[in-house]
Each structure stands twice: as C-alpha cells, then as structure tokens.
Amino acid sequence: MTKNNAFPAATPPATDKRPASDTHHGISRIDEYGWLRADNWQEVFKDPSVLDPTIRKHLEAENAYQSALMADTAELRAVLFGEMKGRIKEDDSSVPMKDGPFAYGSSYKKGGEQPRFFRTPRDGGQETIILDGDHEAEGKAYFRIGDVEHSSDHRRLLWAFDDKGSEFYTVRVRDMDGGADLDDLVTDTGGSGAWDAAGDGFFYARLDANHRPSRVSFHSIGTDCASDQLIYEESDPGFFMSVGGSRNDEWIFIAINDHETSEYHVIPAADPLAAPRIVAPRETGLQYDIEDGGAVFFILTNADGAKDFKIMSAPASAPERANWTELVPHEPGRLILSILSFKDYLVRLERKDGLPRIVIRELKSGDEHLIAFDEEAFSLGLSGSYEYDTEVMRFSYSSMTTPSQLFDYNMRSRERTLLKTQEVPSGHDPEHYVTRRLMAPSHDGELVPVSLIHHRDTRLDGTAPCLLYGYGSYGITVPAAFNTNCLSLVDRGFVYAIAHIRGGKDKGYSWYEDGKREKKTNTFHDFIAAARHLVAEHYTSHDRIVAQGGSAGGMLMGAVANMAPEAFGGIVAEVPFVDVLTTMLDDTLPLTPPEWPEWGNPIVSEADYHTIAAYSPYDNVSAQDYPPVLAVAGLTDPRVTYWEPAKWVARLRERKTGSNPVLFKINMDAGHAGASGRFSRLEEIAFTYAFALKVAGKAAA
C-alpha cells in the first residue's frame, strides 16, 4: 500500500503495555492495553472528572496528536462547517401536530443549538414556548433532551434530559399553565415516561448501576420519588425494557425484548396500580409488537414461521396468544416494518423489493391501497398522529437528491397535502445530482444493493474519490434519504455511497439473519464486494475509497481493515465496537447480556467464542499495511465504551507495517451520539469529512 503523504510527520503517543491474560474454553489471550479501561467506569459515566489521571493524560495526548496531524485542515473545516450550516434553516420549525384543543411542535431559534417545544391553538394562532432547550442547556458542556410528552388533559409536560452523554436521563414535570417545573424529579431513567389516563402520574423505567433498565415504577405527582410504586421488575439482564402509552390513552405497554424475543405486559392507563397482564410469555425467537386498536390489539409478529411478519388481532380484554386471529397474512419477501392504528384504519410501513411503501387498510371493509413513489431509491417514514379518531395521518418522503417532504394524508379521500419541503437556504438543485442503485455481487453470489449520489459533472472514469458508508447489524436498514451534509463531499467530486449489506433488513428478514452470529462475516464480505463493484463500474478506485461506519458499523470498519486493507484508501470508525470478544465475555458491561442473541455468548459457548474471535477487529490486527485510520469516540459512551477504540488504536500502531497514521479523536464531554448541539455536531462531521478529503488529496479549502 502506498503511503499517504497528506499527513505531516509526527510521533504518536506511546501507549504503555501492561500484559494481562484471560483464559476461556482452554484458550488464552494476552491483552497489553486492557489497563485503559477505568476500574470505576460506572462512576466516570456520571462524573467524568473522576477518571484515572493516567488514562486522562493518555487520551489528551491522543487528542493532541490528531490535532497536530489535522492542523492544516482548520480552514477547510471552517469552510465545510459553513457550507453545512448554510444548508440548515436556522430558525426552522416543525409543522404542529393537532391534539384536542392544541397543536404541538418544535422549532429552533437562529443560532440556537437545542430545540424549543411549543404549542398553539388547534387551528393556529399564538405560539407558547413550553420548553426552551437552549435555556435548559445554559452552562452545560453537554445537553440532550429525551422524550417530551404532554398529558392527555394538556396540563402538564413530562420531559427528560441527559447532561453527561452517559444516557442516564433525569425526568422533570412542568406545569404548562405556569411554565415552571414541579418538584417532582426522577434520576437515572431511560429517557422516557408514560402518563396515566388522568395525567396525575407517570410510568418510567429506571436504569441500574450497569445501565440496564430493570425496574418500571409509577410516580404520583407531588409525592416523594422514594415512595414510587414498583410496577414490574425484570430479573434477566439479557433483556431491554421500556414503557409507553397508547395514542388513545387507554393502555400502558411494558415492552421487554432482546434481539430475537419479545414480551409485553399491559396495564389499563386509568388504573395505573393494576397488576400488569402478560400478552404472550417470552419464547425464544418469538417477536411481536402491539398496537392499540380500541376494543382489540393489533399484533405485528413472526409467529408460526412468519419470517417477514404478519398482523394478528386479539381482544384487548383477552390478548393472550390463544386468542390471536390473522388479519394480514405473511407474504415472503414483503417485510412489514411497523403498524399504526386509527379508529377506522390500520396503516403499515413495509418493504418489498428493497423499497419502502405505506399501505392503508380500511378496517370495516378490509380494502387496502398503498402510497408509493417512483425513484430508484428513496425513504419513507410514518410520522403518525397524536389523535386516534381521525382520518388524517402524516408521513415523510425523501431521496438522496430530493429534500425531505412532509405530507398529511387523508386515508378516506386519499388526498395528499404537502405540508412542508425541507428548505436548503444556500440553495439546492436536484438536477445537479444523479442518484443510482447498483447491485454488487458478493463472495457467495448474493447481490448487495448500493445506493449512491454524485454530481452530474463528476467524471466516472475511476478517478473520483468515494465515501462508502455501511452499518449491517441489528436488522437496521440505512435509508436512501436526503442528506445535506454529504453534499459538501459530492460537490467536491466525491461519489457518496451506502452499502445495504447483510445484517440489516434491506432485502427482508433473511438479509438480517444472514449477517449475524455464525454468518456475521457475510456483512464484511458484502461491504468489501460493494467497494470492489464501485471500482469495477469505474465510479472510483480503491486508493480513493474512504470507508465510514459507526458503532456496530465501526466494528465493520475494523473488520474490513483487517480483511482487505488494500481495498480502501482510508477508514473512518466512529464510536467503533472493535473489541467484540472482550466485551461479550464481560457480563457486567451495560449491553453485553442483551447483545448475546446478536453476536453469540462466548462465555458459555466455545463455538461462539471461536466465531467472534475469528473476526473481532482488536483480536485480528496483524502485521500488514493499513490505510490511514481515524477513530472517533466519546468518554461517557455507555454503548461502546471509550477503551475499545483506545485499545484498538494502540494495537494498530504497534502491529501495522506501513507508515500511514492512526488518529484517535475523543470527545471528553460526550457519549455515543457525539456532540449534543446541532451546530457542534456539524463541527464533528466537518472534521471527519476533512479527514476524507485529506486522504483523497482534495483538502484545499
């Protein structure tokens, strides 16, 4: 691999080697950099100042090193930031959504980092600010608002915030007439809550010391939080848990799940202290979601071999599985993603032939019609409605060239009303861009969809640089949606591409199954195949491809860097899950037990141990030439802990043979999601784009 000469010569931080060994299934490993994990990591999540000074010094040295290597991009980053900010309507506002006598929405003020939440009279009129995020964030290095929920009687507002980046949210209650927060305050929650029918109290899930939602409690307004009533406690650390309410305010749902199994408990919202009623007990592999339909529950499920899901119904008074009856049958290849019910209609978002569509079903007659679009690649989203007894629902549409559009849709008349088109203040002409959907042959003959956008004037002779993005885990599909930020690359001659690799559900549920556990390496082969297909089709060349992924997509980056470093000119790994084996062997970490269904449990299974060990990026760094690498992380990240990328970077530097640099940028005031303000987040994107441009030799401002 040719050395990339864009980076100045500088000496990276020396990382102490303190070898420690572990043995599982008779197999021993040595980890020289495990000391970078703070022993008091739980305390660090809540108070970063208690981080071991030796570790802090090392992380600060890493930041100083990457700053030196990227110093010559300062002007470029400022230009990129200005461009991206210029595409944002600074005083943007949502279209308020009606609910009874009011309509609720959110907005930004010019120059503001955080959203403001407001309401107006139902049919328009004076806006009343009910929560000002900028005001609440004053004086805080990090601030992110969680759920904001008004009570059904519109008297009170429940809102949550995280001011560390560790995703331990505090819940407050605001009196909407007076505008002041009440004394009620609940800490260490998952960031959401659900009002009871009367608006006199709310349900919430509290996180334990290991950041797991283990208890659902009910808080009565005006009482001491210490006396909150325990409603349900989950004893299995392998399951996630959340609590929410139905749109018709009749039910509270306690949702329990891992990545392959579901369980719901329901409580009448008018009787908040009633014992939760189980719908269908957890059964490994059985997944289901519930939507309130008045006298019935609609149930989206994979029961009875419905791999791409079907819709059942059951009496709300007797929702047990024995009473489920089929409403919409399973159709292989048509993946039903979500459902939304109204008094007279049932709406479903589904994907067929790799593209989304919305289907409206009239409940009385069973008649169905669909909302679809004609572009090669596009994204649809259900915004729904606050109201249950209505004929109007809301959805969004965009493509890689078309700014997001928001529609109200009358399900009876089928009239579509355009409410808003995303404004790009600095200007945007879709005719300047081309979007395509390619099919890249993978190692086993499967065809991998690749969505891409490039400027109409870009020469497709193999000389264009390319940013290739991928994720490929948890069944998450990366939509081919409008992204104003990537235009800063596209306008500079880049091809911006998304590889819809296995591990997501882009081509149905089987696409997900074929990219997990013992089949995980399909995800990596697919991404490498996408890169090679882009080269074969003359969109780019291998030394000009910058690969990008975050979280589990960061694990993808580490894996493909090990497997095919020659296929990429650079790697951007954001909050990368790269020490997979060590993390899956540590059941004290926040997400480890719930993640075993996705990756395997190497503690109890020797086969799973070997599977993960064969691809875990940290365990497979070898003496080969790697392209330039940028790792990005957050100190208080509870999902991918900071020490994973810190260790990976140290081992890459130790073992690689070439002279290309490995950079590590860590935000000492943020967690998994990065910077919390909308403009500070743009600064982070400008940094990663500057790295990509630098790698591609196009770093001139």
Side-chain angles (χ1 to χ4, degrees):
M1 182 177 294
T2 304
K3 178 183 183 297
N4 190 301
N5 294 313
F7 297 91
T11 302
T15 311
D16 289 346
K17 298 174 72 171
R18 305 177 189 175
S21 65
D22 67 77
T23 302
H24 295 270
H25 309 293
I27 305 164
S28 295
R29 295 185 306 154
I30 301 294
D31 188 351
E32 307 89 345
Y33 304 112
W35 66 270
L36 287 167
R37 166 183 161 155
D39 292 335
N40 63 337
W41 56 268
Q42 291 103 327
E43 288 80 10
V44 172
F45 283 170
K46 293 187 174 184
D47 182 4
S49 70
V50 302
L51 179 67
D52 183 318
T54 302
I55 298 174
R56 179 177 294 278
K57 182 178 179 180
H58 176 75
L59 298 178
E60 289 173 345
E62 289 283 9
N63 273 338
Y65 174 67
Q66 56 86 3
S67 293
L69 266 62
M70 293 291 287
D72 61 343
T73 66
E75 183 180 353
L76 171 62
R77 281 180 273 152
V79 171
L80 291 169
F81 173 80
E83 290 174 1
M84 291 187 286
K85 185 178 179 183
R87 299 189 193 104
I88 294 175
K89 188 173 186 292
E90 287 201 45
D91 55 353
D92 200 11
S93 177
S94 69
V95 179
M97 189 176 284
K98 297 177 180 179
D99 187 17
F102 297 102
Y104 291 84
S106 62
S107 64
Y108 287 90
K109 62 184 178 184
K110 194 164 186 176
E113 291 270 15
Q114 300 286 341
R116 301 181 302 174
F117 296 85
F118 67 86
R119 72 179 181 185
T120 69
R122 178 181 178 89
D123 296 316
Q126 181 67 37
E127 284 188 6
T128 300
I129 301 297
I130 54 179
L131 179 66
D132 185 337
D134 286 316
H135 174 73
E136 303 297 338
E138 284 180 9
K140 296 180 171 67
Y142 180 96
F143 188 80
R144 185 177 298 275
I145 295 175
D147 276 7
V148 177
E149 298 283 346
H150 60 272
S151 58
S152 59
D153 60 9
H154 307 279
R155 290 182 299 149
R156 294 170 174 148
L157 187 77
L158 180 152
W159 67 283
F161 68 90
D162 168 21
D163 59 5
K164 298 290 188 301
S166 57
E167 300 178 46
F168 282 102
Y169 283 85
T170 297
V171 171
R172 301 295 313 255
V173 175
R174 177 159 298 187
D175 175 73
M176 289 219 270
D177 288 332
D181 285 332
L182 306 180
D183 291 336
D184 305 77
L185 183 149
V186 182
T187 61
D188 298 344
T189 79
S192 62
W195 287 104
D196 69 351
D200 291 330
F202 60 88
F203 298 82
Y204 62 91
R206 174 161 267 153
L207 307 182
D208 63 20
N210 285 349
H211 208 278
R212 296 171 186 150
S214 58
R215 296 160 64 96
V216 170
S217 297
F218 179 76
H219 175 74
S220 294
I221 300 300
T223 65
D224 185 346
C225 295
S227 63
D228 287 355
Q229 179 72 38
L230 177 65
I231 302 298
Y232 179 84
E233 184 165 11
E234 176 54 51
S235 59
D236 190 335
F239 281 81
F240 301 101
M241 185 170 62
S242 62
V243 60
S246 63
R247 281 182 306 114
N248 64 8
D249 301 313
E250 291 188 3
W251 295 96
I252 300 298
F253 297 138
I254 298 174
I256 304 164
N257 68 282
D258 62 14
H259 292 295
E260 62 183 17
T261 302
S262 310
E263 182 176 279
Y264 271 82
H265 298 251
V266 298
I267 302 168
D271 188 8
L273 299 184
R277 181 173 185 170
I278 194 168
V279 175
R282 67 192 69 173
E283 177 184 319
T284 300
L286 174 65
Q287 299 180 54
Y288 67 97
D289 282 315
I290 294 179
E291 179 72 6
D292 184 6
V296 302
F297 288 154
F298 296 112
I299 302 161
L300 176 63
T301 182
N302 68 347
D304 310 310
K307 183 173 289 190
D308 288 323
F309 290 77
K310 61 182 177 180
I311 302 174
M312 312 288 280
S313 67
S317 58
E320 292 77 14
R321 190 173 174 187
N323 298 322
W324 293 7
T325 59
E326 188 173 88
L327 184 68
V328 178
H330 176 242
E331 180 184 312
R334 178 200 64 186
L335 178 63
I336 304 177
L337 300 167
S338 62
I339 56 177
L340 195 63
S341 72
F342 297 86
K343 181 174 178 291
D344 298 316
Y345 300 92
L346 181 66
V347 181
R348 67 180 186 263
L349 176 64
E350 59 187 37
R351 183 176 293 108
K352 189 172 183 179
D353 299 325
L355 291 174
R357 64 188 191 182
I358 296 171
V359 181
I360 313 295
R361 180 186 183 95
E362 185 183 40
L363 291 171
K364 187 175 182 180
S365 67
D367 292 341
E368 294 186 350
H369 68 275
L370 61 86
I371 307 171
F373 292 83
D374 297 327
E375 290 193 74
E376 265 189 60
F378 58 87
S379 173
L380 286 177
L382 282 179
S383 303
S385 166
Y386 280 133
E387 298 181 320
Y388 175 74
D389 186 2
T390 179
E391 297 177 341
V392 178
M393 57 83 66
R394 189 168 288 184
F395 74 91
S396 61
Y397 168 84
S398 77
S399 75
M400 295 183 82
T401 57
T402 306
S404 178
Q405 296 175 321
L406 189 68
F407 295 90
D408 265 352
Y409 184 78
N410 189 296
M411 295 176 282
R412 177 184 53 79
S413 69
R414 306 187 185 185
E415 180 183 2
R416 186 184 303 179
T417 303
L418 177 62
L419 300 175
K420 179 182 178 181
T421 298
Q422 178 183 353
E423 292 184 46
V424 183
S426 60
H428 174 71
D429 186 348
E431 295 302 316
H432 289 172
Y433 305 95
V434 176
T435 185
R436 294 287 313 281
R437 193 164 178 94
L438 309 179
M439 302 301 286
S442 196
H443 67 294
D444 57 358
E446 285 283 1
L447 296 178
V448 180
V450 180
S451 300
L452 64 84
I453 181 175
H454 64 81
H455 197 281
R456 191 169 295 279
D457 295 338
T458 297
R459 293 170 56 190
L460 302 180
D461 58 2
T463 62
C466 172
L467 190 140
L468 178 60
Y469 181 86
Y471 188 75
S473 291
Y474 307 116
I476 293 173
T477 297
V478 181
F482 189 63
N483 175 359
T484 60
N485 296 329
C486 76
L487 297 178
S488 285
L489 294 178
V490 173
D491 287 345
R492 287 172 170 80
F494 266 70
V495 174
Y496 182 87
I498 301 169
H500 302 282
I501 51 185
R502 275 174 281 188
K505 294 177 185 170
D506 305 71
K507 294 177 71 174
Y509 199 84
S510 293
W511 201 245
Y512 168 42
E513 290 182 317
D514 287 345
K516 65 184 292 193
R517 297 193 70 153
E518 70 276 3
K519 298 180 180 179
K520 188 63 207 171
T521 54
N522 284 334
T523 303
F524 317 138
H525 285 298
D526 286 357
F527 191 82
I528 294 166
R532 289 178 174 154
H533 189 65
L534 287 166
V535 173
E537 294 296 306
H538 307 293
Y539 281 94
T540 187
S541 57
H542 283 297
D543 63 344
R544 300 177 74 73
I545 298 177
V546 178
Q548 182 187 27
S551 196
M555 180 266 292
L556 167 70
M557 295 300 102
V560 301
N562 288 334
M563 293 169 62
E566 76 287 345
F568 306 99
I571 300 284
V572 176
E574 298 174 301
V575 290
F577 178 35
V578 283
D579 195 9
V580 186
L581 184 57
T582 303
T583 294
M584 289 297 102
L585 286 167
D586 186 349
D587 59 7
T588 70
L589 292 173
L591 294 185
T592 293
E595 298 289 283
W596 286 329
E598 180 77 12
W599 312 103
N601 184 344
I603 298 175
V604 300
S605 168
E606 183 176 353
D608 287 350
Y609 185 101
H610 285 292
T611 295
I612 297 170
Y615 69 75
S616 177
Y618 183 63
D619 292 277
N620 288 278
V621 173
S622 63
Q624 61 180 333
D625 196 0
Y626 286 86
V629 173
L630 169 63
V632 179
L635 178 62
T636 55
D637 185 350
R639 298 172 184 263
V640 178
T641 51
Y642 74 84
W643 57 82
E644 290 203 30
K647 290 168 54 178
W648 179 57
V649 164
R651 183 168 280 182
L652 277 169
R653 292 203 192 109
E654 173 198 352
R655 297 186 179 179
K656 70 183 182 68
T657 58
S659 55
N660 287 321
V662 180
L663 289 70
F664 183 31
K665 182 178 189 291
I666 180 165
N667 189 329
M668 303 297 281
D669 296 308
H672 195 68
S676 56
R678 58 173 177 162
F679 297 133
S680 51
R681 176 59 184 147
L682 290 183
E683 290 175 346
E684 292 185 339
I685 297 171
F687 186 93
T688 58
Y689 281 6
F691 175 84
L693 287 159
K694 193 175 178 68
V695 166
K698 299 176 76 71

